Amino acid sequence: MHRLMFNSLAAAIAAGMWMSAGLRGQNVTPPNMTAAAGKTAAAPAENTAAMPTGTTPMAPLVAVGEARPAPGGWIMRDEAAKRALQLGFSPAAEVLLRELLESTDTSDPVKNRLGLELTAALFDQGRLADAEQDLARIPGVRTAAYHLRAGLIAAYRKQAEPARSEAAQVKIDELPAAERGWFRFLEGMIADQAGDLGRRDQAYEEAVKSAVSDLQRARFELEQLRVKLLSGPVTEQEAGRLRQNMERLQGQKSGYVYARYYAVALDALGRKAEAVTLLQRQLQSLPPEERQETDDMRLLLGLIAGADSGVGRNALFGLLDRAVSREPQRAALQLLARGSDTGAARARFREKLDQLIAAAVPHPIKEELLIYRAQAALFEKNYGRAEEDAKTLLESFPGSQLRTQALGVLTSVAWELRRYRSAADYAAQLRAELPAGDARAQLGVLVADAYFRAGDYRNAADAYGSAQREPPGAVAPGVLLFQRVLAEINAAEANLERLDAAQTLLDDAAGTAGVDPVSRWQAEWNLARALQVHGRTAPALKRVTRLLGQSGAAALPPDLFVRMAWLQARLAFEAGSPAEAIRLVDALLEAPAIGKLATGLKTDVTSTSILLKAQALLDSGKTEPAATPAGLELLKNLRTDFPKTDAAIYSYIAEADYYVARNVIVEAQGLFTKLADAYPDSSYAPFALYEAALSAERLGQDAAYEDADRLIERLVTSYPQSDLVFYARLKQGDLWRKLNRFGLAQQTYEEITNKFPGHQDVLLAQLALADCHYAQAASDPSHWESAVAMYERLQDLPTAPVDLRVEAGYKHGNAQAKRGAPDRAQAAWMLVINTVLLDPARAAELGAKGRYWMSRVLLELGDLYEKQARLDQARGAYELLLRQQLPGGALAQQRLERFSAGKGGEKTKPE
């Protein structure tokens, strides 16, 4: 048998996934327990615990930096960019979009779509030159969306002919619904520049009618005003005539109109300050009944002065305070969002939103105010505020057009707070709101990835399957296959049949178009290692061997081919074929792919392969004595030729394993200690100290126990963050008990339970603490009460492992029996039998350790019945032990044979 899985370098490799989230540590089966004739089964080792595979570092062949990211994080950034653009937070959208464009996870076709969205963000900010420059960078076929943007840029630059040319190439049916209104708006601009005012007004009206939301409708109203500001060229003479008409008609409605036109002319002439002053004077002189004119003046002032200036911001705030209609208020929100790209501007915007939302009378556009504050809070990482506002919007305005944005905010909040199950639920709701298309498909992947990150691998696998049937353009088919297989592998923790599902997926994908070979082979790597972890070494070896025999294997990237070839050799070794492992290692070291690796990886592969060959040689020494010296020599050469590599450091553990297996304990302890002394910064050092302590304990002498205690104390003080600290302290308590220092042992177990209350094996410490109390009961009766209370609690604890509950139940009954309370002892033992052994589901959970203690329960119960002359019940206990094939069968049979024929009564079960 190999040592515990995490004790080998190969297992460290097996513990790392080609992913962001690896296989979790596997429970280690307790030692086998056999029954000698006439004796009970041998007692299992104290505090046998499953120790995590993650205590050793990621092995060289699966470097942490090579973990491939799941698509969820990318999708979340993409969704955030879309939402920011929809609401007018265009500077924030620009930042997100540039990050996505620079990401190595973004494919070229998706970059085209992101480039179009970036152009829209720049256009929204009025940065036409930058928008034109980024639009020109988009390669490939010019789509309708491309020509629309090019036409709008030309029209805003008053380039009539290029604008008409681009518009002519737009097929409106090819545009998404949210962009069709913009095409009508472009037609209106072209008509305006041609002097066709009737067609202009008609096109602008069609744009407004085509708006997909109230916010977009307000945006078109705002753009008409923006177009006026860009109209021209304006001459000084024209501006002078507008001024004369304004002054001549002062105080009349037409005079206010001329004032606005004059302000536009001043801005076009570069006299912005005069335009701002003019509008401020007009606002001060407007009579209260001219509410519509006041709204128009404020919106124009906000547009000319800019939302980032005090004057412009105050004008827009005034619009939000009161306006004749909702459209200018929605336009003001968009301008303020665009101008809130600095901390101070965001703070002032947020304060205004707080004031308006908190007003006693509900604001006419309260739902818009809520979503804008939620989005602003999200930018500031104020997740509580963002979540509250989004939920309020959904509850107060169930039919709101902003429902999708609110669900998007809630998805983002849950994701950022790592509440992934909630993120999956919100993303699924958001997906249900959208029509079929790429945006909906992309959210399907997000749902799957959220389930995956929540650890709900079964639902994740199903959701990835749905995403495969409706794949988005941003996620390659190979990535979806990889993630689905990974989810199936992790789901195998609860149901091993999921491994069969993963194998079927990969078999079916072999000839599937669109699945890239690298993704498929990386998934195969994960599957093979999962089969290895779950004890299916032979099927894993068969699968890897078949894959490497395929014609396409030679065309794989060198690093992937080398990993698979190394895994094949490792699997051959674990399958009990050291000679085959040696052959495969030799072939790997001669493979052309080795020479194509980067220097660092080549060193790691070579040294790790030599280590594997040395281990195989040592294993071969069982039947071929000459192989042992060769293996030991290879380990020494490894330390010389590849010093300070992980493989060289681990070679001390490999050699110590060899000596432990042959009971040469002192030599093994020396090697473990040497590793810790020579490489104190290595991730293997705490493990080496732990193994050195175990080696000292095996010597079975008080002085050796003291030595083991010193080694454990060194581990705990030198590596306080190590996962081994819990197990080291647990072992330290055992050593104190062996030295009859029960007071120190008790303190140690109490410290463990207090310091590690949520540890997966903390109940072992509590059971050991109960044992410690029971051992002290002879000198202090109060300890007996403490021990029995702990045993009884652990026996009844539904969340405790079945094996531990059976052990606690046996000890509970035994303590009662020794105290002269046979009825209580019988009750404790019968509870164990009825709730575990006679319950098929619970009985199936019994491990080797639990079966040992169940055997003790039945043997002791039978003995108790015999002493009470209840021979039928005694016979029932012994026969139940034999029927369940528990350890101690020989002893139970001997006891049954003591009953002469006919004297034992009818067969029965214990009562």
Side-chain angles (χ1 to χ4, degrees):
M1 292 289 292
H2 299 297
R3 66 165 45 245
L4 295 181
M5 175 165 285
F6 88 106
N7 298 354
S8 70
L9 184 61
I13 291 176
M17 296 296 283
W18 214 307
M19 54 169 290
S20 54
L23 281 177
R24 293 165 291 172
Q26 305 298 309
N27 286 345
V28 181
T29 304
N32 290 330
M33 294 170 281
T34 57
K39 297 181 180 179
T40 60
E46 290 184 282
N47 295 331
T48 303
M51 290 181 281
T53 60
T55 53
T56 49
M58 196 74 79
L61 298 188
V62 191
V64 174
E66 294 172 338
R68 56 185 299 174
W74 189 99
I75 293 173
M76 283 304 307
R77 294 197 301 276
D78 187 36
E79 291 296 318
K82 290 177 185 175
R83 192 169 58 252
L85 193 55
Q86 290 167 358
L87 295 176
F89 292 93
S90 46
E94 179 192 354
V95 172
L96 290 166
L97 289 165
R98 291 198 185 280
E99 289 177 357
L100 290 168
L101 283 165
E102 293 172 3
S103 171
T104 57
D105 299 322
T106 307
S107 64
D108 288 339
V110 177
K111 285 182 178 180
N112 290 353
R113 191 256 294 170
L114 295 175
L116 291 172
E117 291 175 1
L118 176 60
T119 301
L122 295 169
F123 175 83
D124 194 38
Q125 297 173 65
R127 293 162 55 188
L128 298 180
D130 291 339
E132 185 177 39
Q133 187 176 32
D134 278 284
L135 185 65
R137 291 196 184 105
I138 299 175
V141 178
R142 300 310 194 212
T143 63
Y146 179 96
H147 291 299
L148 173 62
R149 285 157 175 77
L152 284 167
I153 292 171
Y156 271 88
R157 287 184 154 183
K158 308 179 195 66
Q159 298 170 348
E161 187 55 39
R164 279 194 296 271
S165 175
E166 295 291 348
Q169 299 179 70
V170 176
K171 295 181 180 179
I172 192 168
D173 291 341
E174 295 179 0
L175 291 172
E179 295 191 359
R180 292 175 185 175
W182 281 107
F183 176 67
R184 297 304 182 197
F185 194 86
L186 172 60
E187 289 184 320
M189 292 184 70
I190 293 172
D192 189 15
Q193 292 172 11
D196 188 347
L197 302 187
R199 174 59 189 143
R200 178 199 66 183
D201 293 342
Q202 180 186 358
Y204 285 159
E205 183 178 347
E206 290 175 353
V208 172
K209 289 180 179 179
S210 299
V212 295
S213 67
D214 290 337
L215 281 175
Q216 191 178 57
R217 191 173 296 108
R219 175 65 189 276
F220 286 139
E221 298 283 0
L222 179 63
E223 285 304 311
Q224 290 185 52
L225 186 55
R226 185 179 172 192
V227 167
K228 290 179 181 178
L229 290 179
L230 296 173
S231 64
V234 178
T235 65
E236 290 288 351
Q237 291 79 5
E238 290 172 330
R241 285 195 294 273
L242 289 171
R243 179 176 181 177
Q244 289 173 1
N245 287 329
M246 175 191 72
E247 292 174 344
R248 179 172 56 84
L249 299 170
Q250 187 173 2
Q252 302 179 36
K253 186 174 290 292
S254 54
Y256 303 138
V257 174
Y258 277 116
R260 285 191 278 114
Y261 283 140
Y262 181 43
V264 170
L266 289 173
D267 184 62
L269 290 169
R271 295 158 61 183
K272 183 184 293 290
E274 292 180 51
V276 167
T277 301
L278 169 66
L279 291 170
Q280 287 179 298
R281 285 202 305 266
Q282 291 291 321
L283 282 168
Q284 291 171 356
S285 63
L286 278 170
E289 61 270 17
E290 293 290 348
R291 293 178 59 196
Q292 182 61 60
E293 193 60 48
T294 300
D295 291 351
D296 294 341
M297 288 274 189
R298 280 177 171 159
L299 186 57
L300 182 59
L301 179 56
L303 195 57
I304 291 177
D308 54 348
S309 70
V311 172
R313 183 169 52 251
N314 289 334
L316 296 172
F317 281 175
L319 262 181
L320 290 178
D321 286 332
R322 53 191 168 276
V324 174
S325 66
R326 300 178 182 186
E327 299 306 325
Q329 292 183 315
R330 294 186 178 114
L333 266 182
Q334 294 179 55
L335 287 173
L336 288 165
R338 190 186 306 165
S340 63
D341 56 333
T342 65
R346 270 197 304 272
R348 283 189 284 267
F349 186 30
R350 184 181 62 250
E351 289 170 3
K352 188 62 179 179
L353 292 172
D354 291 344
Q355 173 200 334
L356 296 172
I357 292 171
V361 178
H363 197 280
I365 60 166
K366 186 174 181 178
E367 57 188 300
E368 281 90 347
L369 298 177
L370 285 168
I371 197 61
Y372 273 83
R373 188 170 70 171
Q375 184 62 49
L378 198 57
F379 289 143
E380 296 176 337
K381 302 187 185 304
N382 185 352
Y383 300 124
R385 165 56 65 197
E387 182 177 36
E388 181 181 345
D389 283 345
K391 286 184 175 180
T392 300
L393 191 156
L394 292 174
E395 293 167 1
S396 303
F397 305 94
S400 173
Q401 296 177 350
L402 301 171
R403 177 177 173 80
T404 56
Q405 283 89 347
L407 288 170
V409 168
L410 290 173
T411 303
S412 292
V413 168
W415 186 276
E416 292 297 331
L417 295 178
R418 300 187 178 184
R419 301 191 322 229
Y420 294 119
R421 194 174 296 278
S422 295
D425 180 56
Y426 287 129
Q429 292 182 55
L430 176 55
R431 181 174 179 269
E433 297 283 333
L434 300 180
D438 199 66
R440 174 187 167 93
Q442 190 163 282
L443 284 168
V445 179
L446 183 62
V447 170
D449 199 48
Y451 276 129
F452 187 95
R453 292 170 186 247
D456 187 350
Y457 300 115
R458 181 171 181 174
N459 276 329
D462 294 343
Y464 281 126
S466 297
Q468 284 183 297
R469 293 187 289 274
E470 189 184 357
V475 185
V479 173
L480 292 176
L481 172 67
F482 177 91
Q483 289 296 131
R484 186 178 179 187
V485 169
L486 200 54
E488 295 285 7
I489 288 171
N490 282 331
E493 292 291 318
N495 182 357
L496 284 177
E497 291 181 0
R498 306 298 290 211
L499 287 180
D500 298 329
Q503 293 185 76
T504 301
L505 283 172
L506 286 172
D507 290 340
D508 293 344
T512 303
V515 175
D516 62 287
V518 171
S519 292
R520 178 178 165 241
W521 275 66
Q522 288 176 342
E524 289 280 7
W525 161 271
N526 286 343
L527 175 59
R529 288 181 14 253
L531 291 169
Q532 174 192 25
V533 166
H534 288 286
R536 299 185 180 184
T537 302
L541 176 59
K542 182 178 179 181
R543 189 171 190 90
V544 172
T545 300
R546 175 170 59 83
L547 287 166
L548 287 170
Q550 294 177 356
S551 58
L556 287 172
D559 61 330
L560 180 52
F561 174 82
V562 164
R563 283 177 168 87
M564 293 297 284
W566 184 92
L567 182 59
Q568 182 187 24
R570 181 70 211 184
L571 290 169
F573 174 61
E574 292 189 0
S577 302
E580 177 65 7
I582 293 169
R583 185 189 71 77
L584 290 171
V585 167
D586 288 340
L588 171 59
L589 293 174
E590 295 296 327
I594 289 282
K596 300 176 183 178
L597 299 178
T599 302
L601 182 56
K602 180 178 180 181
T603 298
D604 290 338
V605 169
T606 304
S607 60
T608 308
S609 299
I610 292 171
L611 173 63
L612 176 56
K613 181 176 180 179
Q615 290 174 302
L617 285 168
L618 292 176
D619 196 56
S620 299
K622 299 172 184 176
T623 56
E624 300 178 20
T628 298
L632 294 173
E633 185 65 23
L634 198 56
L635 290 175
K636 293 177 182 176
N637 292 339
L638 174 61
R639 295 166 201 156
T640 301
D641 298 340
F642 298 93
K644 297 183 179 180
T645 61
D646 276 356
I649 297 171
Y650 194 85
S651 69
Y652 290 98
I653 296 174
E655 187 174 352
D657 281 350
Y658 167 78
Y659 288 118
V660 168
R662 285 150 186 79
N663 207 33
V664 186
I665 304 302
V666 174
E667 186 72 21
Q669 183 183 0
L671 286 163
F672 286 128
T673 306
K674 186 174 183 180
L675 187 159
D677 292 341
Y679 303 100
D681 296 329
S682 169
S683 297
Y684 296 116
F687 171 70
L689 289 172
Y690 184 80
E691 284 294 311
L694 294 185
S695 297
E697 183 189 23
R698 290 187 185 100
L699 295 176
Q701 301 169 357
D702 285 358
Y705 295 153
E706 298 279 5
D707 188 26
D709 175 66
R710 285 191 293 271
L711 289 165
I712 284 177
E713 198 61 37
R714 176 181 168 187
L715 186 164
V716 171
T717 56
S718 300
Y719 307 98
Q721 303 305 316
S722 171
D723 291 338
L724 280 172
V725 169
F726 174 90
Y727 300 101
R729 286 296 191 201
L730 198 59
K731 177 55 65 179
Q732 191 173 40
D734 297 345
L735 292 169
W736 288 129
R737 282 197 282 167
K738 289 183 177 182
L739 289 166
N740 292 320
R741 300 178 185 176
F742 292 103
L744 287 174
Q746 178 183 333
Q747 291 176 18
T748 301
Y749 295 135
E750 289 172 343
E751 177 188 341
I752 293 171
T753 56
N754 291 331
K755 189 174 181 179
F756 302 95
H759 195 280
Q760 62 180 0
D761 287 321
V762 71
L763 296 181
L764 290 174
Q766 295 178 16
L767 182 59
L769 178 58
D771 291 342
C772 196
H773 278 298
Y774 186 68
Q776 299 176 82
S779 58
D780 184 349
S782 65
H783 284 288
W784 187 89
E785 297 289 346
S786 297
V788 168
M790 290 180 180
Y791 287 142
E792 185 174 11
R793 186 183 70 81
L794 292 171
Q795 178 183 359
D796 295 339
L797 188 63
T799 57
V802 169
D803 284 7
L804 186 140
R805 292 180 67 183
V806 173
E807 181 178 354
Y810 166 77
K811 292 177 176 179
H812 177 206
N814 183 63
Q816 296 288 3
K818 298 294 184 185
R819 191 66 174 257
D823 291 344
R824 292 184 178 181
Q826 176 191 339
W829 287 332
M830 284 305 304
L831 183 62
V832 173
I833 294 168
N834 288 326
T835 57
V836 177
L837 193 59
L838 298 182
D839 180 340
R842 289 298 178 89
E845 297 178 26
L846 282 171
K849 191 174 183 182
R851 290 172 60 79
Y852 164 81
W853 288 109
M854 186 63 77
S855 171
R856 291 288 299 272
V857 166
L858 288 168
L859 289 171
E860 293 293 337
L861 182 61
D863 184 60
L864 177 64
Y865 284 143
E866 285 193 62
K867 290 176 181 177
Q868 295 174 337
R870 298 165 65 183
L871 301 185
D872 286 349
Q873 286 79 11
R875 178 189 295 277
Y878 300 142
E879 289 179 344
L880 181 58
L881 184 150
L882 292 172
R883 286 198 304 274
Q884 296 290 336
Q885 299 181 344
L886 295 171
L891 180 56
Q893 188 64 47
Q894 285 182 358
R895 292 184 179 181
L896 283 171
E897 290 172 358
R898 291 205 307 260
F899 302 136
S900 58
K903 292 183 179 180
E906 298 295 329
K907 292 183 180 180
T908 184
K909 69 177 184 178
E911 296 178 353

